Amino acid sequence: MTQTQQPKVAIIGAGPGGLTLARFLHLANIRFTIFESDQSVDSRRVTGGILDLHKSTGQRVIKEAGLWEEYEKHVSYEAEDLIIADRNNQILLDSKGQTKGRPEIDRPALRDLLLFSIPPENIRWNNRLKHVDEDGTLHFAHGKESGYDLIVGADGVWSKVRPVVSQIAPFYSGTTGFELWITNPVAIDEDMDSMLGNGSYFVYGGDDRVLMAQRQGDRSVRVYAFIRRPESWMKTGGLDFTNRHAIKDFLLDEFRAWSPELLRLISNCDGEIIPRPLYMFPVGIRWPHKERFTLLGDAAHAMTPFAGEGVNTAMFDAYKLAQAIIATPRDLDHASNIYEKGLFPRATKVQQATWEELLWTFEKNAGPRLADRITYLIDMHSKGLPVTEGMGADNSMDD
């Protein structure tokens, strides 16, 4: 690229990370194109659960992007309520009315907030990337594209960009989840609906089983049932993963020793059931810098969801990459190299914390431990003090 040429950035994926990067590049008048596999702007608008953005990562990025006022229109502090119970439905913590400073926002609302902050002509929908050549040629189902100075893989755990820079593949975490939906809980089971409250209801069995229910913005409930199984079980366990009734029966049997009140979170499911085997990268993953390419979010360092850091990490990655690009827009290779030098140690800290949370989640004292942790977060927030350790640590991304 000559001194008179404008840089061209290709962003693969219109998730929170890719859209965040696009927002900052747009503000800096740097040319970019997002390639997204979804068919249109309306695809997946109503899917996805609630998210909490952390003060020094997700919230900081929203403020720096000039979107704070609009963001506050969509967040819910009421949805931050958390109940933690054991498998007998004995309550270990009820944080109703208390805050950790991390209000919840529906994933579709966050997506739209970012999506509509950039020009629509900069997004090419229905472009599913098949593979990428070493010279930067992007091969899509419909054809190919080239001529980009930097290609950013923001395309998730199964990124098509990552193989150009790293041969390390995601590995199975030992945990499989099932995502279940209760579309109209108050009509289906008023007692259950009242029990769940306005936020989240987390139940730790201490027996390799966990249930997590989350109230959505439309009052529906998303339930995650997590179990520990070997990877081969998905193929050899005899369960038909295309049959929602078979999955439901399996889960009711799997959790049969739990309180009948909790089993209603499974039996009342009337929406689709989606298997979610959890994959991750080794803690501390990195790659040798490669000109013209870089990664962010799950494409760079996929983690399990148990520390609640995924979207925060992706958005902060995008913010730091944008800072580097804006600082040296005529030398994107230098920019991406600087970004990666900061990315690797920063992501390693969050990966390690997330790995510890995964292990703790299935241990005997997981429920009491998390109850203590949430009490600590609430206390620290009420005193205006920074969080410096443990799950979702507020300074885990600080410069």
Side-chain angles (χ1 to χ4, degrees):
M1 183 174 65
T2 69
Q3 290 297 311
T4 58
Q5 287 179 316
Q6 290 291 321
K8 291 176 60 179
V9 179
I11 303 170
I12 310 302
L19 290 172
T20 297
L21 175 60
R23 169 63 177 175
F24 283 107
L25 296 184
H26 169 61
L27 292 175
N29 293 314
I30 294 174
R31 291 191 300 171
F32 68 90
T33 301
I34 298 178
F35 295 94
E36 169 56 43
S37 61
D38 283 353
Q39 291 189 353
S40 73
V41 66
D42 295 316
S43 299
R44 294 197 290 179
R45 185 174 298 281
V46 297
T47 63
I50 57 173
L51 303 164
D52 66 313
L53 301 188
H54 302 171
K55 183 177 180 180
S56 67
T57 52
Q59 290 184 27
R60 173 182 170 185
V61 170
I62 290 292
K63 289 177 180 177
E64 294 286 348
L67 299 173
W68 185 256
E69 184 176 346
E70 188 65 24
Y71 164 76
E72 287 200 304
K73 295 178 183 178
H74 297 282
V75 299
S76 170
Y77 285 90
E78 187 178 65
E80 198 181 358
D81 290 352
L82 172 63
I83 296 172
I84 300 173
D86 64 19
R87 69 177 194 166
N88 298 313
N89 209 24
Q90 295 298 305
I91 304 302
L92 305 173
L93 172 76
D94 186 344
S95 72
K96 183 178 181 180
Q98 299 173 297
T99 178
K100 307 185 296 295
R102 299 174 180 177
E104 304 283 357
I105 183 171
D106 278 8
R107 183 180 290 271
L110 177 63
R111 174 183 182 264
D112 285 355
L113 173 69
L114 295 166
L115 180 63
F116 296 133
S117 73
I118 60 177
E121 61 269 21
N122 285 60
I123 304 180
R124 297 193 191 177
W125 300 97
N126 198 25
N127 275 259
R128 182 175 296 278
L129 184 64
K130 297 297 186 181
H131 67 274
V132 185
D133 291 340
E134 295 275 342
D135 66 0
T137 301
L138 303 168
H139 294 265
F140 298 94
H142 71 275
K144 58 185 180 180
E145 299 272 349
S146 60
Y148 290 91
D149 302 292
L150 179 64
I151 297 168
V152 181
D155 48 342
V157 63
W158 304 111
S159 170
K160 300 298 184 182
V161 179
R162 189 180 56 250
V164 181
V165 302
S166 173
Q167 297 306 310
I168 301 175
F171 69 88
Y172 177 62
S173 68
T175 302
T176 290
F178 293 88
E179 180 181 337
L180 306 90
W181 287 86
I182 305 173
T183 59
N184 190 0
V186 69
I188 292 172
D189 188 334
E190 190 172 355
D191 289 340
M192 179 203 68
D193 184 73
S194 177
M195 177 185 80
L196 293 178
N198 295 311
S200 297
Y201 203 102
F202 290 179
V203 189
Y204 296 85
D207 59 356
D208 285 342
R209 297 167 184 83
V210 173
L211 283 177
M212 295 181 172
Q214 292 181 314
R215 181 78 67 178
Q216 308 300 301
D218 62 359
R219 303 298 294 175
S220 65
V221 172
R222 181 180 66 167
V223 179
Y224 276 123
F226 292 108
I227 60 175
R228 302 283 276 172
R229 287 291 190 280
E231 186 175 19
S232 59
W233 175 80
M234 297 289 291
K235 295 181 179 180
T236 63
L239 182 59
D240 181 358
F241 290 95
T242 66
N243 185 332
R244 63 179 303 275
H245 298 292
I247 296 175
K248 195 170 177 179
D249 289 343
F250 164 78
L251 290 174
L252 287 170
D253 183 65
E254 187 72 19
F255 287 83
R256 63 186 180 278
W258 286 38
S259 164
E261 291 179 312
L262 299 173
L263 292 181
R264 292 186 296 178
L265 298 178
I266 300 171
S267 61
N268 285 331
C269 167
D270 64 332
E272 65 177 327
I273 301 178
I274 307 169
R276 301 286 192 194
L278 302 182
Y279 286 81
M280 58 181 286
F281 283 115
V283 173
I285 185 174
R286 60 182 183 272
W287 57 87
H289 175 69
K290 188 174 182 65
E291 186 176 0
R292 202 191 294 265
F293 298 96
T294 197
L295 308 170
L296 61 80
D298 282 350
H301 45 62
M303 299 170 277
T304 62
F306 296 105
E309 292 286 3
V311 69
N312 290 281
T313 310
M315 292 176 69
F316 200 79
D317 287 351
Y319 168 61
K320 298 303 287 184
L321 176 56
Q323 282 188 316
I325 292 172
I326 293 166
T328 58
R330 302 293 179 183
D331 191 348
L332 297 189
D333 181 52
H334 176 73
S336 60
N337 197 3
I338 292 296
Y339 156 73
E340 289 166 0
K341 288 179 179 178
L343 167 70
F344 298 144
R346 186 175 67 244
T348 296
K349 290 195 297 182
V350 185
Q351 284 183 294
Q352 184 62 47
T354 301
W355 174 245
E356 294 294 336
E357 290 300 327
L358 168 62
L359 298 178
W360 274 109
T361 293
F362 293 95
E363 294 184 0
K364 293 290 185 183
N365 63 339
R369 176 184 176 274
L370 182 59
D372 289 345
R373 175 63 185 160
I374 297 301
T375 300
Y376 164 77
L377 290 174
I378 291 170
D379 182 58
M380 295 292 283
H381 179 74
S382 69
K383 296 175 180 177
L385 299 173
V387 177
T388 57
E389 59 181 280
M391 184 190 71
D394 264 351
N395 73 342
S396 61
M397 297 290 187
D398 284 355
D399 298 330

